[in-house]
Amino acid sequence: AVSTHRGHAHYLGKGGNLDAMIAELYGKETGCSSGKGGSMHLIDRKVNFMGTSAIVGNSIPVGVGLGLSIELTETDQISCIFLGDGAVEEGVFYESLNFTALRKLPVLFICENNLYSVYSPLSVRQPKGRVISDMVSSIGIKSYKDESNDVLEFYKTLKSAIASVRSGAGPKFLEFNTYRWREHCGPDYDNHLKYRTQEEFQWWQENDPLKKIVSRLNAKTITNINKEVDNEITASFKFAEDSAFPSRSTAYEGIYAIPGMN
């Protein structure tokens, strides 16, 4: 799996996987990229997470390349590429779609459309009335748009698409509508910047997918989940803090450059 969403990757995993991610954020040798990737260049092959890049859209062709390698080795794997609506405006996006459609590669594109690229809404970035999934369909990749903002509906959509791609039916493109509560990069709210209306913000809050799923669970289940997650996160941060920084002797390991380049 390859994931990209404006260059950032976010995932939680049981035990060691989360330990390795948090350790990487600390720049420790026990990190999933040996402390050299930081927050925006994560790779964890133990969970088939093949990498991210800080460049918007840059992981898309890498994910297509992974799909090509799967085709050549004839395994039953698929490549899952996560991207945001902002990445759709990169030229490499269209090149990657075209090649994927041409070769009918086992690739699943998952577009998280949160309506904004930093502070710019879709209305100033793309033609009026454009639907991303419809545009992708015109390129020759079967596409689907899910506007439910519902975890269980998303799960059903993903499960069906994964089974289809894995069966050899060709690539698929899924567009999920979602929303960003806080600033593009940081923990604070930024509504005071006036790039979105309070009415829009409140509507999405009322349709928060977490609220929807919580309403279907009992209080005891929610308490147990929260406790388990809190314990896991606390343990992973302790693991990261207790881990050592990389040795100076390993500074040039895993570093690649083009011959003749300064």
Side-chain angles (χ1 to χ4, degrees), residues 112-126:
E112 302 169 52
N113 185 350
N114 70 9
L115 311 180
Y116 292 92
S117 178
V118 190
Y119 305 121
S120 300
L122 282 167
S123 60
V124 301
R125 297 185 285 116
Q126 299 189 26

Side-chain angles (χ1 to χ4, degrees), residues 1-2 62-81 99-109 141 161-173:
V2 172
V62 175
V64 171
L66 178 61
L68 178 60
S69 74
I70 292 170
E71 179 192 56
L72 295 174
T73 54
E74 299 182 338
T75 69
D76 68 346
Q77 298 167 296
I78 72 171
S79 174
C80 297
I81 304 174
F99 186 77
T100 304
L102 175 67
R103 294 293 296 258
K104 296 182 180 179
L105 298 178
V107 176
L108 176 60
F109 296 91
I141 295 178
I162 289 170
S164 176
V165 175
R166 199 186 300 280
S167 72
K172 295 288 185 298
F173 184 95

Side-chain angles (χ1 to χ4, degrees), residues 116 118-119 121 180 182-183 190-191 193-197:
Y116 292 92
V118 190
Y119 305 121
R180 188 186 78 226
R182 299 175 187 266
E183 55 194 332
D190 61 0
N191 292 355
L193 297 177
K194 306 296 184 182
Y195 68 94
R196 54 184 174 182
T197 66

Side-chain angles (χ1 to χ4, degrees), residues 99-209:
F99 186 77
T100 304
L102 175 67
R103 294 293 296 258
K104 296 182 180 179
L105 298 178
V107 176
L108 176 60
F109 296 91
I110 303 164
C111 178
E112 302 169 52
N113 185 350
N114 70 9
L115 311 180
Y116 292 92
S117 178
V118 190
Y119 305 121
S120 300
L122 282 167
S123 60
V124 301
R125 297 185 285 116
Q126 299 189 26
K128 184 178 180 180
R130 170 184 283 176
V131 177
I132 294 173
S133 51
D134 289 347
M135 176 185 65
V136 172
S137 291
S138 70
I139 295 175
I141 295 178
K142 290 185 178 179
S143 305
Y144 179 79
K145 182 179 177 66
D146 191 325
E147 301 182 79
S148 67
N149 211 34
D150 184 287
V151 173
L152 297 182
E153 290 302 315
F154 283 9
Y155 173 77
K156 292 176 185 177
T157 300
L158 281 165
K159 185 176 181 180
S160 176
I162 289 170
S164 176
V165 175
R166 199 186 300 280
S167 72
K172 295 288 185 298
F173 184 95
L174 304 178
E175 179 185 356
F176 294 111
N177 275 10
T178 184
Y179 201 68
R180 188 186 78 226
W181 301 123
R182 299 175 187 266
E183 55 194 332
H184 169 70
C185 185
D188 300 320
Y189 288 100
D190 61 0
N191 292 355
H192 64 285
L193 297 177
K194 306 296 184 182
Y195 68 94
R196 54 184 174 182
T197 66
Q198 190 61 28
E199 291 75 18
E200 176 186 276
F201 185 82
Q202 289 177 345
W203 186 91
W204 281 98
Q205 280 197 317
E206 292 168 3
N207 288 274
D208 184 348

Side-chain angles (χ1 to χ4, degrees), residues 22-98:
I22 301 301
E24 186 60 38
L25 301 184
Y26 273 61
K28 299 298 184 71
E29 64 180 4
T30 53
C32 55
S33 298
S34 302
K36 299 178 181 179
S39 65
M40 293 169 52
H41 301 93
L42 299 170
I43 297 175
D44 193 346
R45 298 185 66 179
K46 292 180 180 178
V47 292
N48 293 324
F49 189 87
M50 302 305 289
T52 58
S53 168
I55 301 174
V56 175
N58 197 50
S59 295
I60 297 175
V62 175
V64 171
L66 178 61
L68 178 60
S69 74
I70 292 170
E71 179 192 56
L72 295 174
T73 54
E74 299 182 338
T75 69
D76 68 346
Q77 298 167 296
I78 72 171
S79 174
C80 297
I81 304 174
F82 291 78
L83 60 137
D85 51 284
V88 171
E89 289 137 31
E90 296 294 323
V92 73
F93 172 73
Y94 301 93
E95 296 172 356
S96 298
L97 288 178
N98 184 70

